mmCIF file of all heavy atoms in Angstrom:
data_model
loop_
_atom_site.group_PDB
_atom_site.id
_atom_site.type_symbol
_atom_site.label_atom_id
_atom_site.label_comp_id
_atom_site.label_asym_id
_atom_site.label_seq_id
_atom_site.Cartn_x
_atom_site.Cartn_y
_atom_site.Cartn_z
ATOM 1 N N GLN F 152 161.202 19.663 197.702
ATOM 2 C CA GLN F 152 162.174 20.658 197.951
ATOM 3 C C GLN F 152 163.532 20.091 197.776
ATOM 4 O O GLN F 152 164.450 20.774 197.291
ATOM 5 C CB GLN F 152 161.983 21.179 199.370
ATOM 6 C CG GLN F 152 160.848 22.115 199.522
ATOM 7 C CD GLN F 152 159.547 21.303 199.783
ATOM 8 O OE1 GLN F 152 159.534 20.143 199.480
ATOM 9 N NE2 GLN F 152 158.570 22.079 200.238
ATOM 10 N N PHE F 153 163.881 18.773 198.244
ATOM 11 C CA PHE F 153 165.163 18.291 198.148
ATOM 12 C C PHE F 153 165.458 17.951 196.747
ATOM 13 O O PHE F 153 166.604 17.992 196.361
ATOM 14 C CB PHE F 153 165.227 16.975 199.023
ATOM 15 C CG PHE F 153 165.102 17.222 200.485
ATOM 16 C CD1 PHE F 153 164.136 16.539 201.246
ATOM 17 C CD2 PHE F 153 165.909 18.229 201.063
ATOM 18 C CE1 PHE F 153 164.058 16.739 202.568
ATOM 19 C CE2 PHE F 153 165.757 18.454 202.481
ATOM 20 C CZ PHE F 153 164.866 17.739 203.247
ATOM 21 N N CYS F 156 167.382 20.502 194.574
ATOM 22 C CA CYS F 156 168.678 20.808 194.873
ATOM 23 C C CYS F 156 169.591 19.977 193.888
ATOM 24 O O CYS F 156 169.428 18.827 193.790
ATOM 25 C CB CYS F 156 169.146 20.390 196.385
ATOM 26 S SG CYS F 156 168.217 21.333 197.567
ATOM 27 N N VAL F 160 176.693 19.847 197.475
ATOM 28 C CA VAL F 160 176.925 21.171 198.116
ATOM 29 C C VAL F 160 175.676 21.922 198.334
ATOM 30 O O VAL F 160 175.371 22.481 199.410
ATOM 31 C CB VAL F 160 178.004 21.977 197.319
ATOM 32 C CG1 VAL F 160 178.091 23.331 197.985
ATOM 33 C CG2 VAL F 160 179.299 21.282 197.277
ATOM 34 N N THR F 161 174.829 21.961 197.153
ATOM 35 C CA THR F 161 173.537 22.705 197.378
ATOM 36 C C THR F 161 172.620 22.010 198.309
ATOM 37 O O THR F 161 171.986 22.745 199.102
ATOM 38 C CB THR F 161 172.885 22.705 196.000
ATOM 39 O OG1 THR F 161 173.757 23.317 195.039
ATOM 40 C CG2 THR F 161 171.676 23.593 195.981
ATOM 41 N N LEU F 162 172.650 20.736 198.348
ATOM 42 C CA LEU F 162 171.773 19.959 199.273
ATOM 43 C C LEU F 162 172.239 20.239 200.735
ATOM 44 O O LEU F 162 171.398 20.320 201.619
ATOM 45 C CB LEU F 162 171.779 18.432 198.909
ATOM 46 C CG LEU F 162 170.797 17.559 199.701
ATOM 47 C CD1 LEU F 162 169.403 18.073 199.618
ATOM 48 C CD2 LEU F 162 170.967 16.088 199.267
ATOM 49 N N LEU F 163 173.517 20.148 200.971
ATOM 50 C CA LEU F 163 174.080 20.452 202.264
ATOM 51 C C LEU F 163 173.666 21.881 202.746
ATOM 52 O O LEU F 163 173.314 22.055 203.840
ATOM 53 C CB LEU F 163 175.542 20.264 202.374
ATOM 54 C CG LEU F 163 176.351 20.483 203.640
ATOM 55 C CD1 LEU F 163 175.768 19.515 204.699
ATOM 56 C CD2 LEU F 163 177.734 20.289 203.512
ATOM 57 N N GLN F 164 173.803 22.765 201.839
ATOM 58 C CA GLN F 164 173.501 24.094 202.208
ATOM 59 C C GLN F 164 172.028 24.376 202.565
ATOM 60 O O GLN F 164 171.665 25.117 203.420
ATOM 61 C CB GLN F 164 173.742 25.081 201.022
ATOM 62 C CG GLN F 164 173.741 26.645 201.361
ATOM 63 C CD GLN F 164 174.797 27.030 202.379
ATOM 64 O OE1 GLN F 164 175.947 26.694 202.402
ATOM 65 N NE2 GLN F 164 174.231 27.723 203.446
ATOM 66 N N PHE F 165 171.177 23.476 201.833
ATOM 67 C CA PHE F 165 169.711 23.639 202.113
ATOM 68 C C PHE F 165 169.427 23.022 203.598
ATOM 69 O O PHE F 165 168.641 23.672 204.274
ATOM 70 C CB PHE F 165 168.969 22.714 201.108
ATOM 71 C CG PHE F 165 167.517 22.737 201.286
ATOM 72 C CD1 PHE F 165 166.826 23.732 200.697
ATOM 73 C CD2 PHE F 165 166.776 21.675 202.050
ATOM 74 C CE1 PHE F 165 165.280 23.717 200.880
ATOM 75 C CE2 PHE F 165 165.457 21.691 202.195
ATOM 76 C CZ PHE F 165 164.691 22.758 201.490
ATOM 77 N N PHE F 166 170.115 21.994 203.974
ATOM 78 C CA PHE F 166 169.924 21.430 205.287
ATOM 79 C C PHE F 166 170.410 22.441 206.388
ATOM 80 O O PHE F 166 169.693 22.634 207.454
ATOM 81 C CB PHE F 166 170.782 20.172 205.373
ATOM 82 C CG PHE F 166 170.101 18.900 204.810
ATOM 83 C CD1 PHE F 166 170.733 18.216 203.879
ATOM 84 C CD2 PHE F 166 168.876 18.498 205.359
ATOM 85 C CE1 PHE F 166 170.127 17.152 203.240
ATOM 86 C CE2 PHE F 166 168.280 17.435 204.849
ATOM 87 C CZ PHE F 166 168.876 16.672 203.820
ATOM 88 N N ILE F 167 171.573 23.149 206.085
ATOM 89 C CA ILE F 167 171.963 24.182 207.124
ATOM 90 C C ILE F 167 171.042 25.423 207.075
ATOM 91 O O ILE F 167 170.780 25.900 208.228
ATOM 92 C CB ILE F 167 173.457 24.602 206.593
ATOM 93 C CG1 ILE F 167 174.374 23.400 206.731
ATOM 94 C CG2 ILE F 167 173.918 25.705 207.447
ATOM 95 C CD1 ILE F 167 175.796 23.662 206.231
ATOM 96 N N ASP F 168 170.737 25.850 206.017
ATOM 97 C CA ASP F 168 169.807 27.172 206.023
ATOM 98 C C ASP F 168 168.447 26.876 206.690
ATOM 99 O O ASP F 168 167.800 27.781 207.275
ATOM 100 C CB ASP F 168 169.512 27.531 204.536
ATOM 101 C CG ASP F 168 170.781 28.004 203.804
ATOM 102 O OD1 ASP F 168 171.791 28.348 204.625
ATOM 103 O OD2 ASP F 168 170.865 28.112 202.597
ATOM 104 N N ASN F 169 167.907 25.643 206.612
ATOM 105 C CA ASN F 169 166.689 25.220 207.283
ATOM 106 C C ASN F 169 166.866 24.639 208.582
ATOM 107 O O ASN F 169 165.775 24.051 209.046
ATOM 108 C CB ASN F 169 165.856 24.378 206.235
ATOM 109 C CG ASN F 169 165.449 25.140 205.044
ATOM 110 O OD1 ASN F 169 164.435 25.920 204.988
ATOM 111 N ND2 ASN F 169 166.288 25.050 203.987
ATOM 112 N N ASN F 170 167.995 24.608 209.028
ATOM 113 C CA ASN F 170 168.281 23.993 210.420
ATOM 114 C C ASN F 170 167.818 22.504 210.575
ATOM 115 O O ASN F 170 167.069 22.194 211.607
ATOM 116 C CB ASN F 170 167.578 24.892 211.427
ATOM 117 C CG ASN F 170 168.179 26.317 211.644
ATOM 118 O OD1 ASN F 170 169.413 26.439 211.591
ATOM 119 N ND2 ASN F 170 167.323 27.216 211.822
ATOM 120 N N LEU F 171 168.175 21.726 209.589
ATOM 121 C CA LEU F 171 167.750 20.414 209.581
ATOM 122 C C LEU F 171 168.833 19.366 209.801
ATOM 123 O O LEU F 171 168.701 18.154 209.745
ATOM 124 C CB LEU F 171 167.171 20.040 208.129
ATOM 125 C CG LEU F 171 165.903 20.722 207.697
ATOM 126 C CD1 LEU F 171 165.635 20.435 206.231
ATOM 127 C CD2 LEU F 171 164.756 20.440 208.530
#
Side-chain angles (χ1 to χ4, degrees):
Q152 288 85 346
F153 294 129
C156 299
V160 176
T161 307
L162 186 58
L163 178 60
Q164 191 63 48
F165 182 85
F166 281 117
I167 295 174
D168 293 342
N169 293 276
N170 297 319
L171 297 173

